[in-house]
Amino acid sequence: DTGVSQNPRHKITKRGQNVTFRCDPISEHNRLYWYRQTLGQGPEFLTYFQNEAQLEKSRLLSDRFSAERPKGSFSTLEIQRTEQGDSAMYLCASSLAQGAEAFFGQGTRLTVV
Amino acid sequence: AQSVAQPEDQVNVAEGNPLTVKCTYSVSGNPYLFWYVQYPNRGLQFLLKYITGDNLVKGSYGFEAEFNKSQTSFHLKKPSALVSDSALYFCAVRPPNSNYQLIWGAGTKLIIKP
């Protein structure tokens, strides 16, 4: 399977715990995006990488959220001190160029209890 | 403010009938336009895009979309609906001055009844 891969698919955590998600994009794609989606809504942009550089970060992202793409390949999204409001589907996508479509992974569903 | 509107929360169509899912946008310049589909508990799948050229764009699974610049619309269409087309459909727009930004509609739930 050469699509975008996200792990884990599901994560249940207690409030206050830290969680980390991983995204493996399509190998030749240099652009990588993280989105958050809640039920019945469209995706909300979180952050964007071009190669290893994090070029944009949404104002929606509090200081508890951090993302990395250390070698310009896979990326991680960490949420520290999780809150119930963080419960959502976290989507990763990658693309090749500005006009190209983004390909999405199946997402990581986070539930904070 | 830039925005994308999908005016219908839900569209119901009988199998075999044509379907239309509407999308209008408010973005300056000549944006890139996309349609994605999402099945339950799945990620978003790309259907089709418009960047330039012919206003009628053909995509996956028999879907097509018509770009109308004067009406700033990009409606998704299919001549004959299948029950398996039932899913959530999202319209998204990339402003011309952005390398990364996608502005998303709220989604339209498409229900195809046998």
Side-chain angles (χ1 to χ4, degrees), chain B residues 38-100:
Chain B
Q38 187 172 37
Y39 298 98
N41 298 314
R42 301 291 297 273
L44 292 148
Q45 295 180 31
F46 168 75
L47 278 179
L48 50 78
K49 68 180 179 182
Y50 174 84
I51 294 180
T52 187
D54 193 347
N55 288 345
L56 186 64
V57 178
K58 294 188 183 297
S60 307
Y61 311 122
F63 283 92
E64 57 190 27
E66 186 168 13
F67 170 61
N68 186 316
K69 187 171 183 177
S70 63
Q71 297 185 2
T72 61
S73 67
F74 189 55
H75 301 331
L76 182 70
K77 300 180 179 184
K78 187 172 182 181
S80 178
L82 300 173
V83 172
S84 58
D85 293 330
S86 299
L88 193 55
Y89 290 80
F90 289 95
C91 179
V93 174
R94 175 166 289 148
N97 59 346
S98 174
N99 285 326
Y100 70 91

Tab-separated table of all heavy atoms in Angstrom, chain B residues 38-100:
chain	number	residue	atom	x	y	z
B	38	GLN	N	-15.917	11.107	1.732
B	38	GLN	CA	-15.530	10.436	2.982
B	38	GLN	C	-16.576	9.397	3.334
B	38	GLN	O	-17.756	9.719	3.528
B	38	GLN	CB	-15.384	11.445	4.107
B	38	GLN	CG	-14.818	10.862	5.381
B	38	GLN	CD	-14.498	11.929	6.409
B	38	GLN	OE1	-15.218	12.918	6.533
B	38	GLN	NE2	-13.416	11.752	7.146
B	39	TYR	N	-16.134	8.147	3.426
B	39	TYR	CA	-16.994	7.062	3.883
B	39	TYR	C	-16.863	6.946	5.400
B	39	TYR	O	-15.868	7.398	5.966
B	39	TYR	CB	-16.629	5.768	3.165
B	39	TYR	CG	-16.841	5.855	1.667
B	39	TYR	CD1	-15.778	6.133	0.799
B	39	TYR	CD2	-18.109	5.700	1.122
B	39	TYR	CE1	-15.979	6.245	-0.558
B	39	TYR	CE2	-18.315	5.818	-0.245
B	39	TYR	CZ	-17.249	6.088	-1.071
B	39	TYR	OH	-17.447	6.220	-2.419
B	40	PRO	N	-17.842	6.337	6.061
B	40	PRO	CA	-17.822	6.277	7.531
B	40	PRO	C	-16.505	5.736	8.085
B	40	PRO	O	-15.996	4.722	7.603
B	40	PRO	CB	-18.994	5.337	7.847
B	40	PRO	CG	-19.930	5.525	6.710
B	40	PRO	CD	-19.060	5.733	5.500
B	41	ASN	N	-15.973	6.440	9.060
B	41	ASN	CA	-14.739	6.044	9.748
B	41	ASN	C	-13.546	5.889	8.797
B	41	ASN	O	-12.645	5.095	9.061
B	41	ASN	CB	-14.951	4.737	10.522
B	41	ASN	CG	-16.001	4.896	11.603
B	41	ASN	OD1	-15.992	5.866	12.356
B	41	ASN	ND2	-16.928	3.971	11.665
B	42	ARG	N	-13.577	6.638	7.728
B	42	ARG	CA	-12.477	6.590	6.779
B	42	ARG	C	-11.928	7.983	6.541
B	42	ARG	O	-12.554	8.989	6.841
B	42	ARG	CB	-12.947	6.009	5.440
B	42	ARG	CG	-13.518	4.612	5.512
B	42	ARG	CD	-12.462	3.589	5.843
B	42	ARG	NE	-11.441	3.509	4.831
B	42	ARG	CZ	-11.511	2.752	3.755
B	42	ARG	NH1	-12.585	2.024	3.528
B	42	ARG	NH2	-10.511	2.728	2.896
B	43	GLY	N	-10.739	8.028	5.973
B	43	GLY	CA	-10.163	9.312	5.582
B	43	GLY	C	-10.844	9.854	4.348
B	43	GLY	O	-11.744	9.248	3.774
B	44	LEU	N	-10.395	11.004	3.920
B	44	LEU	CA	-10.959	11.662	2.738
B	44	LEU	C	-10.297	11.121	1.475
B	44	LEU	O	-9.079	10.994	1.416
B	44	LEU	CB	-10.723	13.163	2.836
B	44	LEU	CG	-11.523	13.836	3.942
B	44	LEU	CD1	-10.759	15.005	4.522
B	44	LEU	CD2	-12.857	14.304	3.388
B	45	GLN	N	-11.129	10.851	0.488
B	45	GLN	CA	-10.611	10.378	-0.794
B	45	GLN	C	-10.824	11.439	-1.857
B	45	GLN	O	-11.918	11.975	-1.994
B	45	GLN	CB	-11.336	9.098	-1.216
B	45	GLN	CG	-11.091	7.915	-0.306
B	45	GLN	CD	-11.833	6.682	-0.793
B	45	GLN	OE1	-12.040	6.506	-1.989
B	45	GLN	NE2	-12.239	5.843	0.122
B	46	PHE	N	-9.787	11.715	-2.607
B	46	PHE	CA	-9.848	12.700	-3.679
B	46	PHE	C	-10.731	12.185	-4.811
B	46	PHE	O	-10.619	11.032	-5.227
B	46	PHE	CB	-8.429	12.957	-4.185
B	46	PHE	CG	-8.356	13.724	-5.467
B	46	PHE	CD1	-8.593	15.082	-5.487
B	46	PHE	CD2	-8.052	13.079	-6.655
B	46	PHE	CE1	-8.523	15.789	-6.675
B	46	PHE	CE2	-7.981	13.772	-7.844
B	46	PHE	CZ	-8.213	15.138	-7.854
B	47	LEU	N	-11.628	13.055	-5.299
B	47	LEU	CA	-12.495	12.713	-6.420
B	47	LEU	C	-12.059	13.397	-7.708
B	47	LEU	O	-11.926	12.756	-8.751
B	47	LEU	CB	-13.942	13.122	-6.136
B	47	LEU	CG	-14.805	12.192	-5.302
B	47	LEU	CD1	-16.193	12.795	-5.130
B	47	LEU	CD2	-14.907	10.817	-5.941
B	48	LEU	N	-11.892	14.720	-7.636
B	48	LEU	CA	-11.538	15.467	-8.843
B	48	LEU	C	-11.109	16.877	-8.457
B	48	LEU	O	-11.295	17.310	-7.321
B	48	LEU	CB	-12.716	15.511	-9.820
B	48	LEU	CG	-14.082	15.946	-9.301
B	48	LEU	CD1	-14.208	17.430	-9.141
B	48	LEU	CD2	-15.195	15.419	-10.221
B	49	LYS	N	-10.507	17.561	-9.440
B	49	LYS	CA	-10.065	18.923	-9.204
B	49	LYS	C	-10.200	19.751	-10.477
B	49	LYS	O	-10.213	19.210	-11.582
B	49	LYS	CB	-8.605	18.956	-8.737
B	49	LYS	CG	-7.602	18.524	-9.806
B	49	LYS	CD	-6.175	18.592	-9.277
B	49	LYS	CE	-5.181	18.131	-10.357
B	49	LYS	NZ	-3.782	18.141	-9.869
B	50	TYR	N	-10.294	21.053	-10.262
B	50	TYR	CA	-10.239	22.003	-11.365
B	50	TYR	C	-9.114	22.996	-11.071
B	50	TYR	O	-9.075	23.602	-10.006
B	50	TYR	CB	-11.567	22.758	-11.523
B	50	TYR	CG	-11.474	23.841	-12.569
B	50	TYR	CD1	-11.661	23.536	-13.916
B	50	TYR	CD2	-11.163	25.157	-12.221
B	50	TYR	CE1	-11.553	24.510	-14.884
B	50	TYR	CE2	-11.047	26.133	-13.187
B	50	TYR	CZ	-11.245	25.814	-14.507
B	50	TYR	OH	-11.121	26.782	-15.469
B	51	ILE	N	-8.241	23.152	-12.059
B	51	ILE	CA	-7.200	24.178	-11.941
B	51	ILE	C	-7.370	25.194	-13.065
B	51	ILE	O	-7.425	26.398	-12.833
B	51	ILE	CB	-5.798	23.548	-11.967
B	51	ILE	CG1	-5.618	22.687	-10.718
B	51	ILE	CG2	-4.718	24.632	-12.033
B	51	ILE	CD1	-4.285	21.998	-10.615
B	52	THR	N	-7.457	24.697	-14.274
B	52	THR	CA	-7.660	25.573	-15.419
B	52	THR	C	-8.178	24.727	-16.572
B	52	THR	O	-8.183	23.502	-16.499
B	52	THR	CB	-6.349	26.287	-15.798
B	52	THR	OG1	-6.601	27.260	-16.804
B	52	THR	CG2	-5.317	25.293	-16.323
B	53	GLY	N	-8.631	25.397	-17.641
B	53	GLY	CA	-9.045	24.640	-18.814
B	53	GLY	C	-10.537	24.403	-18.889
B	53	GLY	O	-11.341	25.250	-18.474
B	54	ASP	N	-10.916	23.261	-19.398
B	54	ASP	CA	-12.316	22.906	-19.616
B	54	ASP	C	-13.100	23.012	-18.311
B	54	ASP	O	-12.674	22.496	-17.278
B	54	ASP	CB	-12.395	21.478	-20.163
B	54	ASP	CG	-13.762	21.148	-20.715
B	54	ASP	OD1	-14.719	21.908	-20.471
B	54	ASP	OD2	-13.879	20.122	-21.413
B	55	ASN	N	-14.251	23.651	-18.403
B	55	ASN	CA	-15.046	23.860	-17.181
B	55	ASN	C	-15.641	22.573	-16.633
B	55	ASN	O	-16.035	22.513	-15.472
B	55	ASN	CB	-16.164	24.855	-17.461
B	55	ASN	CG	-15.632	26.264	-17.634
B	55	ASN	OD1	-14.498	26.559	-17.290
B	55	ASN	ND2	-16.457	27.131	-18.171
B	56	LEU	N	-15.757	21.548	-17.453
B	56	LEU	CA	-16.301	20.272	-16.992
B	56	LEU	C	-15.140	19.326	-16.716
B	56	LEU	O	-14.368	18.993	-17.604
B	56	LEU	CB	-17.247	19.683	-18.033
B	56	LEU	CG	-17.991	18.422	-17.605
B	56	LEU	CD1	-18.931	18.715	-16.435
B	56	LEU	CD2	-18.767	17.835	-18.779
B	57	VAL	N	-15.047	18.914	-15.478
B	57	VAL	CA	-13.941	18.068	-15.043
B	57	VAL	C	-14.481	16.693	-14.708
B	57	VAL	O	-15.477	16.567	-13.990
B	57	VAL	CB	-13.265	18.667	-13.798
B	57	VAL	CG1	-12.151	17.768	-13.320
B	57	VAL	CG2	-12.755	20.062	-14.082
B	58	LYS	N	-13.813	15.658	-15.198
B	58	LYS	CA	-14.228	14.292	-14.882
B	58	LYS	C	-13.292	13.700	-13.836
B	58	LYS	O	-12.076	13.970	-13.849
B	58	LYS	CB	-14.223	13.440	-16.156
B	58	LYS	CG	-15.287	13.892	-17.165
B	58	LYS	CD	-15.397	12.932	-18.322
B	58	LYS	CE	-16.403	13.440	-19.352
B	58	LYS	NZ	-17.776	13.530	-18.797
B	59	GLY	N	-13.882	12.905	-12.942
B	59	GLY	CA	-13.095	12.347	-11.870
B	59	GLY	C	-13.363	10.878	-11.648
B	59	GLY	O	-13.820	10.169	-12.526
B	60	SER	N	-13.091	10.450	-10.421
B	60	SER	CA	-13.216	9.034	-10.068
B	60	SER	C	-14.685	8.632	-9.942
B	60	SER	O	-15.546	9.455	-9.656
B	60	SER	CB	-12.498	8.766	-8.744
B	60	SER	OG	-11.171	9.221	-8.768
B	61	TYR	N	-14.934	7.322	-10.098
B	61	TYR	CA	-16.231	6.690	-9.841
B	61	TYR	C	-17.362	7.301	-10.668
B	61	TYR	O	-18.516	7.272	-10.250
B	61	TYR	CB	-16.584	6.776	-8.347
B	61	TYR	CG	-15.466	6.341	-7.426
B	61	TYR	CD1	-14.961	7.207	-6.475
B	61	TYR	CD2	-14.910	5.069	-7.524
B	61	TYR	CE1	-13.925	6.822	-5.634
B	61	TYR	CE2	-13.877	4.677	-6.682
B	61	TYR	CZ	-13.382	5.562	-5.748
B	61	TYR	OH	-12.365	5.177	-4.919
B	62	GLY	N	-17.052	7.869	-11.821
B	62	GLY	CA	-18.073	8.424	-12.692
B	62	GLY	C	-18.549	9.816	-12.335
B	62	GLY	O	-19.488	10.335	-12.946
B	63	PHE	N	-17.922	10.428	-11.345
B	63	PHE	CA	-18.297	11.783	-10.962
B	63	PHE	C	-17.676	12.819	-11.894
B	63	PHE	O	-16.610	12.601	-12.466
B	63	PHE	CB	-17.863	12.087	-9.522
B	63	PHE	CG	-18.748	11.465	-8.486
B	63	PHE	CD1	-18.453	10.210	-7.970
B	63	PHE	CD2	-19.875	12.128	-8.036
B	63	PHE	CE1	-19.279	9.619	-7.019
B	63	PHE	CE2	-20.702	11.554	-7.083
B	63	PHE	CZ	-20.401	10.297	-6.580
B	64	GLU	N	-18.358	13.946	-11.998
B	64	GLU	CA	-17.838	15.086	-12.727
B	64	GLU	C	-18.271	16.348	-12.008
B	64	GLU	O	-19.163	16.312	-11.149
B	64	GLU	CB	-18.333	15.087	-14.178
B	64	GLU	CG	-19.845	15.066	-14.314
B	64	GLU	CD	-20.283	14.826	-15.758
B	64	GLU	OE1	-19.546	14.192	-16.538
B	64	GLU	OE2	-21.388	15.273	-16.083
B	65	ALA	N	-17.613	17.447	-12.318
B	65	ALA	CA	-17.976	18.713	-11.691
B	65	ALA	C	-17.859	19.817	-12.726
B	65	ALA	O	-17.005	19.781	-13.606
B	65	ALA	CB	-17.084	19.001	-10.491
B	66	GLU	N	-18.741	20.786	-12.572
B	66	GLU	CA	-18.768	21.888	-13.515
B	66	GLU	C	-18.385	23.191	-12.826
B	66	GLU	O	-19.025	23.608	-11.858
B	66	GLU	CB	-20.155	22.034	-14.140
B	66	GLU	CG	-20.206	23.081	-15.242
B	66	GLU	CD	-21.475	23.024	-16.056
B	66	GLU	OE1	-22.434	22.343	-15.613
B	66	GLU	OE2	-21.524	23.652	-17.126
B	67	PHE	N	-17.328	23.794	-13.328
B	67	PHE	CA	-16.861	25.066	-12.814
B	67	PHE	C	-17.613	26.190	-13.522
B	67	PHE	O	-17.692	26.227	-14.746
B	67	PHE	CB	-15.358	25.208	-13.050
B	67	PHE	CG	-14.806	26.573	-12.786
B	67	PHE	CD1	-14.889	27.138	-11.519
B	67	PHE	CD2	-14.192	27.308	-13.794
B	67	PHE	CE1	-14.378	28.393	-11.266
B	67	PHE	CE2	-13.669	28.566	-13.556
B	67	PHE	CZ	-13.764	29.110	-12.288
B	68	ASN	N	-18.153	27.122	-12.735
B	68	ASN	CA	-18.839	28.277	-13.296
B	68	ASN	C	-18.245	29.518	-12.648
B	68	ASN	O	-18.530	29.819	-11.470
B	68	ASN	CB	-20.344	28.183	-13.042
B	68	ASN	CG	-21.112	29.292	-13.746
B	68	ASN	OD1	-20.703	30.454	-13.722
B	68	ASN	ND2	-22.217	28.939	-14.370
B	69	LYS	N	-17.417	30.227	-13.388
B	69	LYS	CA	-16.695	31.356	-12.798
B	69	LYS	C	-17.635	32.496	-12.409
B	69	LYS	O	-17.478	33.105	-11.350
B	69	LYS	CB	-15.626	31.866	-13.770
B	69	LYS	CG	-14.729	32.923	-13.166
B	69	LYS	CD	-13.555	33.251	-14.071
B	69	LYS	CE	-12.636	34.256	-13.383
B	69	LYS	NZ	-11.428	34.543	-14.203
B	70	SER	N	-18.609	32.772	-13.254
B	70	SER	CA	-19.496	33.908	-12.970
B	70	SER	C	-20.347	33.662	-11.722
B	70	SER	O	-20.672	34.591	-10.986
B	70	SER	CB	-20.391	34.189	-14.171
B	70	SER	OG	-21.228	33.083	-14.429
B	71	GLN	N	-20.696	32.407	-11.494
B	71	GLN	CA	-21.484	32.070	-10.314
B	71	GLN	C	-20.616	31.587	-9.165
B	71	GLN	O	-21.154	31.247	-8.097
B	71	GLN	CB	-22.530	31.005	-10.669
B	71	GLN	CG	-23.542	31.479	-11.694
B	71	GLN	CD	-24.630	30.457	-11.952
B	71	GLN	OE1	-24.664	29.389	-11.352
B	71	GLN	NE2	-25.538	30.775	-12.867
B	72	THR	N	-19.326	31.552	-9.349
B	72	THR	CA	-18.352	31.020	-8.359
B	72	THR	C	-18.875	29.723	-7.759
B	72	THR	O	-18.992	29.571	-6.529
B	72	THR	CB	-18.016	32.053	-7.257
B	72	THR	OG1	-19.193	32.400	-6.532
B	72	THR	CG2	-17.385	33.290	-7.853
B	73	SER	N	-19.190	28.802	-8.664
B	73	SER	CA	-19.709	27.511	-8.209
B	73	SER	C	-18.888	26.371	-8.796
B	73	SER	O	-18.226	26.527	-9.830
B	73	SER	CB	-21.177	27.363	-8.597
B	73	SER	OG	-21.318	27.268	-9.999
B	74	PHE	N	-18.990	25.248	-8.135
B	74	PHE	CA	-18.258	24.040	-8.575
B	74	PHE	C	-19.098	22.854	-8.124
B	74	PHE	O	-18.752	22.125	-7.215
B	74	PHE	CB	-16.859	24.032	-7.963
B	74	PHE	CG	-15.949	22.961	-8.519
B	74	PHE	CD1	-15.717	22.851	-9.880
B	74	PHE	CD2	-15.283	22.090	-7.661
B	74	PHE	CE1	-14.857	21.883	-10.385
B	74	PHE	CE2	-14.418	21.114	-8.154
B	74	PHE	CZ	-14.204	21.017	-9.519
B	75	HIS	N	-20.217	22.635	-8.795
B	75	HIS	CA	-21.162	21.595	-8.399
B	75	HIS	C	-20.698	20.224	-8.854
B	75	HIS	O	-20.255	20.049	-9.996
B	75	HIS	CB	-22.552	21.880	-8.972
B	75	HIS	CG	-23.136	23.198	-8.528
B	75	HIS	ND1	-22.836	23.777	-7.327
B	75	HIS	CD2	-24.010	24.025	-9.141
B	75	HIS	CE1	-23.494	24.914	-7.206
B	75	HIS	NE2	-24.217	25.097	-8.292
B	76	LEU	N	-20.884	19.259	-7.982
B	76	LEU	CA	-20.526	17.868	-8.265
B	76	LEU	C	-21.738	17.166	-8.863
B	76	LEU	O	-22.855	17.321	-8.353
B	76	LEU	CB	-20.096	17.174	-6.974
B	76	LEU	CG	-19.640	15.727	-7.082
B	76	LEU	CD1	-18.296	15.637	-7.800
B	76	LEU	CD2	-19.522	15.108	-5.688
B	77	LYS	N	-21.491	16.356	-9.888
B	77	LYS	CA	-22.606	15.700	-10.569
B	77	LYS	C	-22.256	14.257	-10.921
B	77	LYS	O	-21.083	13.902	-11.037
B	77	LYS	CB	-22.958	16.453	-11.858
B	77	LYS	CG	-23.368	17.895	-11.617
B	77	LYS	CD	-23.713	18.593	-12.918
B	77	LYS	CE	-24.134	20.039	-12.642
B	77	LYS	NZ	-24.567	20.738	-13.856
B	78	LYS	N	-23.329	13.479	-11.091
B	78	LYS	CA	-23.169	12.122	-11.602
B	78	LYS	C	-24.452	11.770	-12.336
B	78	LYS	O	-25.541	11.997	-11.814
B	78	LYS	CB	-22.896	11.126	-10.475
B	78	LYS	CG	-22.562	9.732	-10.973
B	78	LYS	CD	-22.110	8.819	-9.838
B	78	LYS	CE	-21.728	7.455	-10.381
B	78	LYS	NZ	-21.290	6.517	-9.307
B	79	PRO	N	-24.354	11.235	-13.540
B	79	PRO	CA	-25.559	10.995	-14.351
B	79	PRO	C	-26.495	9.943	-13.762
B	79	PRO	O	-27.714	10.068	-13.909
B	79	PRO	CB	-24.995	10.531	-15.695
B	79	PRO	CG	-23.583	10.976	-15.708
B	79	PRO	CD	-23.124	10.971	-14.289
B	80	SER	N	-25.931	8.936	-13.095
B	80	SER	CA	-26.757	7.848	-12.595
B	80	SER	C	-26.204	7.387	-11.247
B	80	SER	O	-25.125	6.804	-11.187
B	80	SER	CB	-26.770	6.686	-13.603
B	80	SER	OG	-27.529	5.611	-13.114
B	81	ALA	N	-26.933	7.648	-10.187
B	81	ALA	CA	-26.430	7.381	-8.839
B	81	ALA	C	-26.475	5.896	-8.487
B	81	ALA	O	-27.386	5.163	-8.917
B	81	ALA	CB	-27.249	8.167	-7.819
B	82	LEU	N	-25.495	5.486	-7.684
B	82	LEU	CA	-25.441	4.132	-7.142
B	82	LEU	C	-25.612	4.191	-5.624
B	82	LEU	O	-25.198	5.169	-4.989
B	82	LEU	CB	-24.089	3.483	-7.460
B	82	LEU	CG	-23.717	3.336	-8.931
B	82	LEU	CD1	-22.273	2.844	-9.047
B	82	LEU	CD2	-24.664	2.365	-9.626
B	83	VAL	N	-26.165	3.120	-5.060
B	83	VAL	CA	-26.304	3.074	-3.597
B	83	VAL	C	-24.941	3.253	-2.933
B	83	VAL	O	-24.816	3.915	-1.889
B	83	VAL	CB	-26.974	1.762	-3.158
B	83	VAL	CG1	-26.948	1.617	-1.641
B	83	VAL	CG2	-28.409	1.696	-3.671
B	84	SER	N	-23.903	2.719	-3.553
B	84	SER	CA	-22.557	2.808	-2.992
B	84	SER	C	-21.983	4.222	-3.025
B	84	SER	O	-20.922	4.479	-2.439
B	84	SER	CB	-21.614	1.860	-3.738
B	84	SER	OG	-21.602	2.169	-5.118
B	85	ASP	N	-22.653	5.147	-3.685
B	85	ASP	CA	-22.225	6.555	-3.667
B	85	ASP	C	-22.602	7.249	-2.368
B	85	ASP	O	-22.164	8.383	-2.114
B	85	ASP	CB	-22.847	7.325	-4.833
B	85	ASP	CG	-22.336	6.874	-6.189
B	85	ASP	OD1	-21.176	6.432	-6.270
B	85	ASP	OD2	-23.104	6.959	-7.171
B	86	SER	N	-23.407	6.618	-1.557
B	86	SER	CA	-23.832	7.214	-0.286
B	86	SER	C	-22.612	7.465	0.592
B	86	SER	O	-21.863	6.541	0.924
B	86	SER	CB	-24.811	6.281	0.438
B	86	SER	OG	-25.970	6.075	-0.337
B	87	ALA	N	-22.403	8.708	0.953
B	87	ALA	CA	-21.208	9.105	1.711
B	87	ALA	C	-21.313	10.597	2.005
B	87	ALA	O	-22.301	11.247	1.673
B	87	ALA	CB	-19.936	8.808	0.924
B	88	LEU	N	-20.258	11.103	2.617
B	88	LEU	CA	-20.165	12.540	2.920
B	88	LEU	C	-19.227	13.171	1.896
B	88	LEU	O	-18.124	12.681	1.668
B	88	LEU	CB	-19.614	12.696	4.337
B	88	LEU	CG	-19.672	14.048	5.032
B	88	LEU	CD1	-21.086	14.585	5.071
B	88	LEU	CD2	-19.133	13.907	6.444
B	89	TYR	N	-19.670	14.247	1.276
B	89	TYR	CA	-18.911	14.885	0.212
B	89	TYR	C	-18.490	16.292	0.641
B	89	TYR	O	-19.306	17.074	1.135
B	89	TYR	CB	-19.745	14.943	-1.078
B	89	TYR	CG	-19.925	13.582	-1.691
B	89	TYR	CD1	-20.883	12.706	-1.199
B	89	TYR	CD2	-19.106	13.149	-2.726
B	89	TYR	CE1	-21.030	11.435	-1.721
B	89	TYR	CE2	-19.255	11.878	-3.266
B	89	TYR	CZ	-20.206	11.028	-2.751
B	89	TYR	OH	-20.337	9.764	-3.267
B	90	PHE	N	-17.207	16.578	0.418
B	90	PHE	CA	-16.652	17.865	0.803
B	90	PHE	C	-16.089	18.581	-0.420
B	90	PHE	O	-15.345	17.995	-1.212
B	90	PHE	CB	-15.512	17.698	1.822
B	90	PHE	CG	-15.968	17.271	3.178
B	90	PHE	CD1	-15.962	15.934	3.533
B	90	PHE	CD2	-16.393	18.208	4.106
B	90	PHE	CE1	-16.378	15.531	4.791
B	90	PHE	CE2	-16.806	17.815	5.371
B	90	PHE	CZ	-16.794	16.468	5.701
B	91	CYS	N	-16.418	19.855	-0.507
B	91	CYS	CA	-15.825	20.750	-1.487
B	91	CYS	C	-14.708	21.527	-0.790
B	91	CYS	O	-14.853	21.916	0.379
B	91	CYS	CB	-16.908	21.701	-2.005
B	91	CYS	SG	-16.380	22.909	-3.217
B	92	ALA	N	-13.597	21.732	-1.478
B	92	ALA	CA	-12.481	22.470	-0.883
B	92	ALA	C	-11.870	23.382	-1.941
B	92	ALA	O	-11.843	23.054	-3.131
B	92	ALA	CB	-11.430	21.509	-0.340
B	93	VAL	N	-11.355	24.504	-1.475
B	93	VAL	CA	-10.816	25.518	-2.377
B	93	VAL	C	-9.446	25.957	-1.880
B	93	VAL	O	-9.262	26.215	-0.686
B	93	VAL	CB	-11.771	26.739	-2.421
B	93	VAL	CG1	-11.148	27.862	-3.228
B	93	VAL	CG2	-13.113	26.340	-2.993
B	94	ARG	N	-8.495	26.015	-2.794
B	94	ARG	CA	-7.166	26.542	-2.445
B	94	ARG	C	-7.015	27.914	-3.079
B	94	ARG	O	-7.038	28.036	-4.306
B	94	ARG	CB	-6.061	25.621	-2.919
B	94	ARG	CG	-4.651	26.207	-2.674
B	94	ARG	CD	-3.575	25.174	-2.824
B	94	ARG	NE	-3.627	24.228	-1.723
B	94	ARG	CZ	-3.284	22.941	-1.851
B	94	ARG	NH1	-2.912	22.471	-3.004
B	94	ARG	NH2	-3.353	22.141	-0.819
B	95	PRO	N	-6.873	28.961	-2.265
B	95	PRO	CA	-6.680	30.306	-2.821
B	95	PRO	C	-5.421	30.347	-3.682
B	95	PRO	O	-4.435	29.660	-3.388
B	95	PRO	CB	-6.538	31.183	-1.577
B	95	PRO	CG	-7.195	30.402	-0.477
B	95	PRO	CD	-6.953	28.960	-0.811
B	96	PRO	N	-5.397	31.195	-4.698
B	96	PRO	CA	-4.269	31.208	-5.632
B	96	PRO	C	-2.964	31.677	-5.005
B	96	PRO	O	-1.899	31.372	-5.531
B	96	PRO	CB	-4.728	32.170	-6.731
B	96	PRO	CG	-5.818	32.984	-6.114
B	96	PRO	CD	-6.469	32.110	-5.106
B	97	ASN	N	-3.028	32.403	-3.908
B	97	ASN	CA	-1.809	32.924	-3.306
B	97	ASN	C	-1.315	32.049	-2.151
B	97	ASN	O	-0.468	32.480	-1.366
B	97	ASN	CB	-2.038	34.347	-2.790
B	97	ASN	CG	-3.155	34.392	-1.764
B	97	ASN	OD1	-3.917	33.438	-1.632
B	97	ASN	ND2	-3.260	35.489	-1.035
B	98	SER	N	-1.844	30.848	-2.047
B	98	SER	CA	-1.475	29.994	-0.926
B	98	SER	C	-0.785	28.722	-1.398
B	98	SER	O	-1.188	28.115	-2.379
B	98	SER	CB	-2.722	29.619	-0.116
B	98	SER	OG	-2.388	28.691	0.889
B	99	ASN	N	0.239	28.325	-0.660
B	99	ASN	CA	0.919	27.063	-0.962
B	99	ASN	C	0.275	25.877	-0.261
B	99	ASN	O	0.567	24.741	-0.586
B	99	ASN	CB	2.380	27.134	-0.509
B	99	ASN	CG	3.212	27.973	-1.454
B	99	ASN	OD1	2.963	27.982	-2.646
B	99	ASN	ND2	4.192	28.660	-0.916
B	100	TYR	N	-0.520	26.151	0.732
B	100	TYR	CA	-0.963	25.050	1.573
B	100	TYR	C	-2.429	25.099	1.969
B	100	TYR	O	-3.029	24.111	2.305
B	100	TYR	CB	-0.144	25.056	2.860
B	100	TYR	CG	-0.494	26.242	3.738
B	100	TYR	CD1	-1.495	26.144	4.700
B	100	TYR	CD2	0.135	27.457	3.557
B	100	TYR	CE1	-1.849	27.238	5.469
B	100	TYR	CE2	-0.217	28.555	4.326
B	100	TYR	CZ	-1.211	28.443	5.271
B	100	TYR	OH	-1.551	29.514	6.022
